[in-house]
Amino acid sequence: MATIPQHDKYVIALDQGTTSSRAVLINHEGRVVDLVQRPFAQIYPQPGWVEHNPQDILFSQIGALTELITKHGLTADTVDSIGIDNQRETTLVWDPATGAPVCNAIVWQCRRTSELVEEICGSSRVKELIRKKCGLLPDAYFSASKIRWILDTVAGARERTEAGDLLFGTVDTWLIWVLTGGLVHATDVSNASRTMLYNIHENCWDKELLALFDIPECMLPEVRRSSGFFGETSYPGLPAGIPITGVAGDQQAALFGQCCFEPGQAKNTYGTGCFMLLHTGTNAHMSKNNLVTTIVASPPNQPKTEYALEGSVFVAGALIQWLRDELGLIQTAAETSYLAKSVSDTGGVYIVPAFTGLGAPWWQPDARGEITGLTRGTTRAHLVRAALEALAYQIKDLADAMSSDCGHELAALNVDGGASANNFLMQFQADLLGCTLRRPQNTETTSLGAAYLAGLSTGYWSSTEELKALRQSDEIFVRKASEKTMERLFDGWHVAVRRTMQ
Ligand code: ADP
């Protein structure tokens, strides 16, 4: 049979997120041809607890994939490969003999193990150990304490695990295991680095941490590079033999999809919260400013492990939702740009959205939000503008923390996520950071990243240079305001932030 030219083939990205699963069809030019999205249920058994039914994750993902394949008449000959990106840290344990999970997946947001983490990691010695080995600040967020909770709580789980009868995986691992017909139990380095059990310097599961959390090594997946062969599809109803050749956690996939392949390159995703990553090359910088160090997804020809500094903002787009849903100040998120531009400044108003405490660099879980500087002249437009500015100030705080850890200023910031559509916000951010902001035309960077990792591994795309050339012209934002003005405003932000900590 004649071989099908690359241009008539596609890569499929499976983008498994916290609230929905998507299958994204990407062509050789790096364009999104089509996308099928299936939401699934969020389960809240108690305040602070968040679960997903593993079968919901699976069926929403496979349902989206099947619909995409059927709609476009795709076969194993026309799909070059599959790449997976996923919500990170979410924890599953299942029985490989039956494929049955022992309980619901414990979602990254779930706080049920906060006390357990305090119990196990409370001492400064253990905190330092975890920081040094994993690059993380001990938290219930990461998988380690979630696995321990399952082993301690689900009847028979520990005994079955010790007998070698149960497997652990993050969502990528669960999907790979099911899609390959139970043949492959593997994860990639970027997902492993978020478990709090992986030694990011030695690139292995860490025996000391496994002992600390009392987790048997036999349940852990094999850790592979992000761009490489994981297995082939073997699932009823799907074309057999499509290779899965790219896997990364969602934020690392977005960094890759933004073509941040070199040290010094950074991206920020403006979603419900923000996730900012700065590529630091083969240098695993240990932050002095409460940022975490994480392994990035690298191209297949990079022999060494590469790292990023990561910082997150808990409340970003969520503040805009709050203005809309709780205060009723706006009807749509999109109108905030126009409203903010309708006034020349906030009239001295600052909003610090510390609804759930302050993240990096402050790390003050007990801080609570404040609106400061209100006068009788404060209008709706001032408040809306102050909310958007708050998003930008929080990112500037992260950027400054990253610069201080690495010793150099940010040259450019690649942006994506829902709120990156806001032109006022982007211009204010560029004014504040004093560096170039690049907004790609295709902001589906997470799926692109997963697809790029898969397609580089098979040779569908030849190199990262080819991928950079695929990027359509970006919209660029550069500083227009005076540096002095921005410094003065930023000082005012810090005054307001300090108040929330009092
Ligand atoms: P997530 O993936 O975290 O669910 P998205 O990337 O889809 O988030 O972005 C949605 C968030 O962005 C919402 O919180 C919404 O309030 C905010 N948002 C969307 N459009 C705009 C806009 N034009 N201006 C400001 N915020 C916006």
Side-chain angles (χ1 to χ4, degrees):
M1 196 181 88
T3 48
I4 297 174
Q6 301 288 47
H7 283 90
D8 295 333
K9 289 186 163 192
Y10 302 91
V11 175
I12 295 179
L14 301 182
D15 175 25
Q16 205 304 304
T18 309
T19 56
S20 74
S21 301
R22 310 191 311 161
V24 187
L25 192 64
I26 292 163
N27 70 12
H28 200 247
E29 282 76 50
R31 306 277 185 276
V32 172
V33 176
D34 199 5
L35 179 160
V36 179
Q37 179 160 11
R38 299 248 170 124
F40 59 87
Q42 307 294 306
I43 303 167
Y44 305 108
Q46 292 186 25
W49 290 34
V50 191
E51 296 179 356
H52 291 156
N53 180 335
Q55 307 299 356
D56 287 352
I57 295 179
L58 196 61
F59 294 136
S60 60
Q61 188 62 79
I62 289 180
L65 176 60
T66 307
E67 187 179 330
L68 190 76
I69 284 177
T70 311
K71 198 168 153 192
H72 294 272
L74 300 167
T75 65
D77 291 325
T78 52
V79 180
D80 172 81
S81 51
I82 289 177
I84 297 176
D85 70 80
N86 56 289
Q87 51 167 319
R88 302 178 300 176
E89 297 112 14
T90 296
T91 297
L92 294 98
V93 174
W94 69 94
D95 180 346
T98 60
V102 299
C103 59
N104 276 341
I106 305 182
V107 177
W108 59 276
Q109 298 151 320
C110 185
R111 304 306 303 170
R112 82 182 60 181
T113 57
S114 297
E115 279 177 23
L116 185 60
V117 169
E118 194 46 41
E119 220 173 90
I120 298 175
C121 316
S123 74
S124 48
R125 186 193 72 82
V126 172
K127 280 199 178 98
E128 191 52 21
L129 184 79
I130 289 177
R131 213 180 67 86
K132 278 209 172 123
K133 291 190 168 206
C134 315
L136 304 173
L137 302 162
D139 197 280
Y141 210 71
F142 306 110
S143 313
S145 63
K146 300 181 196 290
I147 305 175
R148 167 69 181 267
W149 187 93
I150 293 173
L151 294 178
D152 286 353
T153 314
V154 175
R158 181 166 292 279
E159 294 72 27
R160 290 166 70 194
T161 302
E162 280 166 359
D165 291 341
L166 293 183
L167 301 179
F168 151 77
T170 39
V171 171
D172 54 314
T173 305
W174 169 236
L175 292 177
I176 294 166
W177 189 84
V178 176
L179 284 171
T180 59
L183 221 58
V184 180
H185 181 225
T187 188
D188 88 301
V189 284
S190 72
N191 276 294
S193 76
R194 309 291 296 185
T195 55
M196 214 156 79
L197 296 171
Y198 196 69
N199 188 316
I200 62 169
H201 310 284
E202 292 172 14
N203 251 316
C204 59
W205 297 117
D206 191 283
K207 296 208 183 319
E208 193 178 357
L209 296 177
L210 289 172
L212 181 72
F213 284 96
D214 199 9
I215 292 172
E217 189 166 0
C218 61
M219 76 187 307
L220 303 180
E222 182 192 331
V223 184
R224 301 188 187 175
R225 304 174 54 93
S226 305
S227 184
F229 183 74
F230 280 79
E232 286 183 344
T233 50
S234 170
Y235 185 86
L238 284 178
I242 303 176
I244 302 169
T245 52
V247 176
D250 52 10
Q251 298 311 318
Q252 286 97 330
L255 188 72
F256 204 81
Q258 284 275 18
C259 297
C260 294
F261 307 128
E262 313 284 338
Q265 295 180 323
K267 73 94 194 172
N268 183 46
T269 303
Y270 296 83
T272 309
C274 285
F275 288 93
M276 183 166 172
L277 271 75
L278 170 68
H279 200 302
T280 60
T282 52
N283 205 334
H285 278 287
M286 287 292 136
S287 175
K288 295 186 182 66
N289 297 292
N290 293 315
L291 302 169
V292 301
T293 310
T294 198
I295 299 184
V296 302
S298 296
N301 60 351
Q302 168 54 263
K304 292 195 174 149
T305 308
E306 296 179 296
Y307 303 89
L309 277 172
E310 174 171 337
S312 48
V313 165
F314 303 143
V315 178
L319 179 61
I320 309 303
Q321 285 168 337
W322 182 74
L323 293 185
R324 186 191 62 196
D325 302 338
E326 308 307 326
L327 300 192
L329 278 186
I330 50 170
Q331 287 189 335
T332 64
E335 74 185 271
T336 56
S337 186
Y338 151 79
L339 269 169
K341 284 186 202 161
S342 73
V343 285
S344 57
D345 55 34
T346 67
V349 175
Y350 286 93
I351 303 181
V352 185
F355 296 157
T356 51
L358 286 169
W362 316 107
W363 218 261
Q364 293 280 336
D366 299 328
R368 287 296 172 264
E370 288 226 10
I371 302 179
T372 67
L374 293 172
T375 66
R376 181 61 188 86
T378 302
T379 65
R380 180 167 83 101
H382 290 126
L383 287 170
V384 165
R385 183 169 173 131
L388 289 173
E389 290 188 358
L391 269 61
Y393 290 132
Q394 293 182 93
I395 294 307
K396 167 75 170 154
D397 280 332
L398 285 183
D400 284 355
M402 287 178 176
S403 302
S404 119
D405 283 334
C406 294
H408 53 78
E409 298 284 311
L410 212 57
L413 182 64
N414 295 276
V415 301
D416 52 52
S420 73
N422 189 305
N423 285 341
F424 168 81
L425 172 62
M426 293 300 102
Q427 184 55 51
F428 189 81
Q429 187 76 82
D431 287 340
L432 195 60
L433 290 174
C435 74
T436 306
L437 245 66
R438 294 180 190 284
R439 181 171 64 190
Q441 276 184 25
N442 180 358
T443 52
E444 292 289 341
T445 52
T446 314
S447 308
L448 271 188
Y452 286 172
L453 287 165
L456 276 179
S457 168
T458 59
Y460 181 74
W461 288 298
S462 61
S463 64
T464 49
E465 289 309 309
E466 183 184 354
L467 296 177
K468 282 192 236 171
L470 292 179
R471 197 164 161 157
Q472 290 158 291
S473 58
D474 297 336
E475 265 181 274
I476 303 282
F477 297 84
V478 293
R479 178 180 269 172
K480 288 186 182 155
S482 90
E483 195 174 342
K484 265 220 159 64
T485 308
M486 298 318 291
E487 274 174 9
R488 186 177 50 76
L489 291 174
F490 196 44
D491 288 345
W493 162 255
H494 285 150
V495 172
V497 167
R498 277 193 288 277
R499 280 191 191 205
T500 67
M501 296 192 243
Q502 277 162 12

